[in-house]
C-alpha cells in the first residue's frame, strides 16, 4: 500500500512545477538500489510492491502526459541514433518472442519490463536546471546516510538497512559481506574529487565516508574499478597538480585497508580464476561468485546459442521471466544460482551483465546495447572539459562497464537514471547547457 501512495504522490507532484523535483527524486528512487530499489531504504519489502513496477507505471503515465501536451522530445545528439536503434531492436525482440517462442503478451511484458525504463530519457529531459540541482542534493544526502549505515552494518556484523537475502561472513577478512550497497556511492565519490564545491562542509569527510564504504563492500572488481574511475575522472577534468593530489589522497585512504584487501584477493580465488581463464577451463569453475563461474555462465549460453537457428542467435533466448515454469522445460543449463527448490537460474544472473545481455538480446542485440552505452560514454567524454558533471558521468559509466563483469547493473537500464538525469542539463534542441557556465554553477 505504501508503494502505491508513493507512486500516486510522485505522479501528482509532477504536475506542480514547484514540487516536480520531488516527483523526479521519487522516480529515481524507484529505479535505483540493490536489494529491491528504493535507494536501499524503501525497498520492495518495505513498501509492499516492487519498486521497478512503480517506475514502469510512472514512466508510462508521464510519457503519455508529455505526448498529450506535445512536450515529448529527445536531444539532437548523435548518440540518440543508437538509443532509437536499441528501442527498435527491443521491439523486434518482443515480436520474435511472440511469433517464434509463442510467449503470451503478459509473459513478454514481464520478461522485457526492465527495457521499458529506457523511456525515462524524455522525462528527465524536461527537468529544469534548478530542479536538477535539488534532485542531486537529495540524492547526495540519501547516499551519505546509506553509506554511514552500510559501514555501521559491517561494524555490528548484521544488516541494518532492509536486506532480503541470507548474509554470510567473508572467510578471508572475517567481516560480514552485504550487498545492499548505496547505488550512487561510486558516482558521488568520483564527484567529490571532480566537483568538491558541490559538497557542503569539509569535502574530505565525504571522501572518507564514501571510500570506507567502497572498501567495506569487499568486492574485488568493484574496489579496483572505483579507484581507477576516480583517478580517471580527475585526469579527464583536472590539471597535473590535481591528479597528483588525488592519487596521494587515494593512497592515504587506501593504506589502512591494504592488509584486508590483500587477504580478500588471495582467498577470493583471483589467481585460480585467472589460471582457469587462461586455460579456457570454464566447466571447472571455482564456485558461485568467482570470475571463472561468471565466464562459465556466459560460455554455456554462448555454446547453446551458436548452434541454434539464426533468429535465436540474433534475438536471444526470449523475453520471459526466469520464474516462469516453461523456462525449465525449454532450457537445461547447468551453470547458475540454485533457488530454494533446487532449480538452476536459466536466463538471468546477478553476477554478470554481459551474460544477461547475451541471454536477453542475443548476439546482435547485445552488441547494439553495448554500442549505445559506449556512445553515451563517448558523449560525456567529449564534453568533459565543459562540465565536471559530465567528466564524473564518463568515469562513473566506465565504472559501470567494468563492474559489468561482476554484477548485473550494466544490463539493467534503470541504472542509467543518473546519466539521463545529467543529460537534463542540456538544451533539447542544441548541445548547449540550460544554464551557461555549468562548471561555475552550484551543481
Amino acid at each position: 500500500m505504501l508503494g502505491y501512495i508513493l507512486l500516486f504522490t510522485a505522479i501528482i507532484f509532477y504536475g506542480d512545477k514547484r514540487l516536480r523535483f520531488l516527483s523526479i527524486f521519487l522516480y529515481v528512487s524507484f529505479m535505483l538500489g540493490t536489494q529491491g530499489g528504493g535507494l536501499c531504504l524503501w525497498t520492495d519489502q518495505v513498501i509492499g510492491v516492487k519498486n521497478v513496477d512503480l517506475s514502469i507505471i510512472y514512466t508510462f503515465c508521464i510519457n503519455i502526459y508529455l505526448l498529450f501536451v506535445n512536450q515529448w522530445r529527445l536531444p539532437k545528439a548523435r548518440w540518440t541514433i543508437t538509443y532509437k536503434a536499441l528501442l527498435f531492436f527491443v521491439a523486434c525482440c518482443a515480436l520474435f518472442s511472440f511469433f517464434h517462442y509463442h510467449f503470451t503478451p503478459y509473459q513478454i511484458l514481464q520478461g522485457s519490463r526492465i527495457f521499458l525504463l529506457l523511456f525515462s530519457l524524455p522525462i528527465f529531459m524536461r527537468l529544469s536546471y534548478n530542479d536538477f540541482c535539488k534532485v542531486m542534493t537529495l540524492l547526495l544526502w540519501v547516499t551519505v546516510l546509506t553509506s554511514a549505515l552500510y559501514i555501521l552494518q559491517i561494524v555490528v556484523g548484521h544488516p541494518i538497512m532492509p536486506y532480503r537475502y541470507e548474509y554470510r561472513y567473508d572467510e578471508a577478512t572475517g567481516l560480514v559481506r552485504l550487498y545492499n550497497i548505496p547505488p550512487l556511492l561510486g558516482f558521488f565519490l568520483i564527484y567529490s574529487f571532480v566537483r568538491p564545491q558541490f559538497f557542503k562542509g569539509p569535502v574530505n569527510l565525504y571522501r572518507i565516508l564514501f571510500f570506507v564504504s567502497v572498501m567495506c563492500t569487499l568486492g574485488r572488481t568493484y574496489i579496483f574499478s572505483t579507484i581507477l574511475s576516480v583517478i580517471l575522472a580527475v585526469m579527464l577534468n583536472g590539471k597535473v597538480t590535481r591528479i597528483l593530489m588525488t592519487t596521494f589522497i587515494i593512497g592515504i585512504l587506501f593504506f589502512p585497508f591494504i592488509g584486508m584487501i590483500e587477504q580478500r584477493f588471495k582467498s577470493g580465488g583471483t589467481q585460480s580464476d585467472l589460471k582457469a581463464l587462461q586455460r579456457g577451463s570454464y566447466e571447472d569453475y571455482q564456485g558461485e561468485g568467482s570470475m571463472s563461474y561468471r565466464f562459465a555462465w556466459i560460455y554455456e549460453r554462448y555454446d547453446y546459442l551458436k548452434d541454434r537457428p539464426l533468429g535465436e542467435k540474433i534475438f536471444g533466448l526470449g523475453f520471459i521471466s526466469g520464474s516462469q515454469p516453461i523456462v525449465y522445460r525449454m532450457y537445461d543449463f547447468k551453470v547458475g544460482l540454485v533457488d530454494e527448490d533446487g532449480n538452476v537460474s536459466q536466463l538471468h544472473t546477478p553476477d554478470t551483465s554481459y551474460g544477461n545481455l547475451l541471454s536477453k538480446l542475443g548476439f546482435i542485440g547485445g552488441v547494439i546495447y553495448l554500442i549505445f552505452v559506449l556512445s553515451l560514454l563517448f558523449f560525456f567524454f567529449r564534453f568533459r572539459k565543459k562540465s565536471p558533471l559530465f567528466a564524473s558521468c564518463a568515469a562513473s559509466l566506465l565504472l559501470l562497464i567494468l563492474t559489468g563483469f561482476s554484477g548485473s547493473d550494466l544490463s539493467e537500464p534503470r541504472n542509467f537514471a543518473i546519466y539521463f538525469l545529467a543529460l537534463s542539463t542540456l538544451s533539447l534542441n542544441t548541445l548547449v547547457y540550460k544554464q551557461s557556465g555549468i562548471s561555475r554553477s552550484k551543481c
Side-chain angles (χ1 to χ4, degrees):
M1 185 65 179
L2 177 59
Y4 292 111
I5 293 175
L6 290 175
L7 174 62
F8 181 76
T9 300
I11 293 175
I12 294 299
F13 279 4
Y14 187 85
D16 188 333
K17 291 185 178 180
R18 297 170 299 176
L19 300 175
R20 185 166 294 173
F21 75 97
L22 288 175
S23 174
I24 296 296
F25 169 73
L26 287 173
Y27 183 38
V28 173
S29 78
F30 295 152
M31 287 191 277
L32 296 183
T34 55
Q35 304 294 307
L39 298 174
C40 294
L41 293 176
W42 45 96
T43 61
D44 297 351
Q45 64 190 89
V46 172
I47 65 176
V49 65
K50 289 186 177 181
N51 273 277
V52 66
D53 290 342
L54 299 182
S55 64
I56 291 171
I57 296 172
Y58 182 99
T59 302
F60 176 79
C61 292
I62 303 303
N63 269 284
I64 292 296
Y65 168 77
L66 292 176
L67 287 169
F68 182 76
V69 297
N70 196 28
Q71 292 184 2
W72 197 97
R73 298 287 190 280
L74 294 175
K76 292 184 177 180
R78 291 181 181 177
W79 61 264
T80 58
I81 296 175
T82 59
Y83 171 79
K84 294 173 183 176
L86 179 57
L87 292 179
F88 176 76
F89 190 87
V90 168
C92 291
C93 284
L95 291 174
F96 184 79
S97 295
F98 181 78
F99 289 106
H100 180 77
Y101 290 114
H102 305 293
F103 296 153
T104 67
Y106 175 76
Q107 289 174 326
I108 295 171
L109 178 62
Q110 190 179 35
S112 65
R113 59 182 180 175
I114 59 172
F115 297 108
L116 296 178
L117 292 178
L118 289 168
F119 286 99
S120 62
L121 177 60
I123 298 174
F124 287 119
M125 291 306 300
R126 304 305 310 183
L127 192 66
S128 70
Y129 183 79
N130 287 334
D131 283 347
F132 162 79
C133 291
K134 292 177 182 178
V135 173
M136 285 285 288
T137 301
L138 288 174
L139 291 174
L140 169 64
W141 287 118
V142 171
T143 303
V144 168
L145 173 62
T146 50
S147 296
L149 291 176
Y150 188 79
I151 296 172
L152 188 58
Q153 291 179 144
I154 308 303
V155 174
V156 301
H158 62 78
I160 296 175
M161 294 184 290
Y163 201 77
R164 62 182 178 182
Y165 298 127
E166 297 251 345
Y167 59 93
R168 61 183 177 84
Y169 289 86
D170 182 66
E171 294 180 359
T173 62
L175 298 173
V176 65
R177 188 170 185 192
L178 299 168
Y179 295 94
N180 51 353
I181 304 168
L184 296 176
L185 174 59
F187 174 82
F188 278 116
L189 176 60
I190 293 169
Y191 205 42
S192 69
F193 284 92
V194 176
R195 183 62 179 165
Q197 300 91 330
F198 175 70
F199 298 82
K200 307 299 182 183
V203 69
N204 283 332
L205 293 180
Y206 293 94
R207 291 168 177 168
I208 292 171
L209 176 66
F210 296 150
F211 191 86
V212 173
S213 297
V214 170
M215 293 297 108
C216 286
T217 65
L218 302 180
R220 294 168 292 169
T221 305
Y222 186 76
I223 292 172
F224 172 77
S225 300
T226 302
I227 293 175
L228 177 64
S229 298
V230 170
I231 297 174
L232 177 62
V234 176
M235 291 177 62
L236 293 177
N237 195 254
K239 299 179 180 178
V240 174
T241 53
R242 175 176 281 189
I243 295 170
L244 294 175
M245 181 60 69
T246 300
T247 305
F248 178 71
I249 293 173
I250 290 292
I252 292 176
L253 292 173
F254 187 74
F255 183 76
F257 301 95
I258 290 178
M260 181 188 77
I261 298 304
E262 185 179 6
Q263 290 179 341
R264 181 71 187 94
F265 271 72
K266 283 183 178 179
S267 67
T270 303
Q271 293 181 349
S272 58
D273 283 347
L274 292 175
K275 290 179 181 178
L277 297 181
Q278 290 173 351
R279 296 192 307 266
S281 178
Y282 303 115
E283 295 82 1
D284 300 325
Y285 58 87
Q286 302 298 313
E288 294 176 359
S290 67
M291 189 60 70
S292 54
Y293 160 78
R294 296 179 179 108
F295 275 85
W297 200 97
I298 298 172
Y299 181 79
E300 188 178 21
R301 277 73 180 171
Y302 161 80
D303 193 49
Y304 172 84
L305 273 176
K306 69 180 178 63
D307 296 323
R308 299 299 297 171
L310 179 62
E312 294 184 23
K313 288 187 177 70
I314 294 175
F315 297 108
L317 302 177
F319 278 167
I320 189 170
S321 171
S323 62
Q324 293 285 333
I326 189 176
V327 170
Y328 299 104
R329 297 196 297 269
M330 293 176 61
Y331 305 111
D332 187 28
F333 298 119
K334 306 300 183 184
V335 182
L337 299 180
V338 181
D339 62 20
E340 297 175 352
D341 299 322
N343 297 316
V344 175
S345 177
Q346 299 292 300
L347 302 180
H348 181 271
T349 178
D351 294 300
T352 170
S353 295
Y354 298 101
N356 293 334
L357 292 176
L358 177 64
S359 170
K360 283 288 185 181
L361 300 176
F363 294 118
I364 303 301
V367 170
I368 293 174
Y369 189 97
L370 292 176
I371 289 175
F372 163 69
V373 175
L374 290 174
S375 67
L376 198 56
L377 172 63
F378 292 147
F379 175 82
F380 286 130
F381 177 81
R382 179 185 175 191
F383 287 93
R384 67 193 185 281
K385 293 294 185 181
K386 295 185 178 180
S387 168
L389 174 66
F390 281 12
S392 299
C393 284
S396 180
L397 192 53
L398 179 62
L399 171 62
L400 190 67
I401 293 171
L402 292 175
T403 54
F405 288 104
S406 60
S408 61
D409 286 350
L410 177 63
S411 61
E412 299 172 3
R414 63 189 180 89
N415 292 298
F416 296 147
I418 189 65
Y419 310 111
F420 289 173
L421 181 64
L423 289 169
S424 70
T425 60
L426 287 172
S427 170
L428 280 171
N429 298 319
T430 56
L431 294 181
V432 297
Y433 298 105
K434 290 181 178 179
Q435 177 168 322
S436 61
I438 185 173
S439 61
R440 299 187 295 274
S441 68
K442 60 182 179 180
C443 289

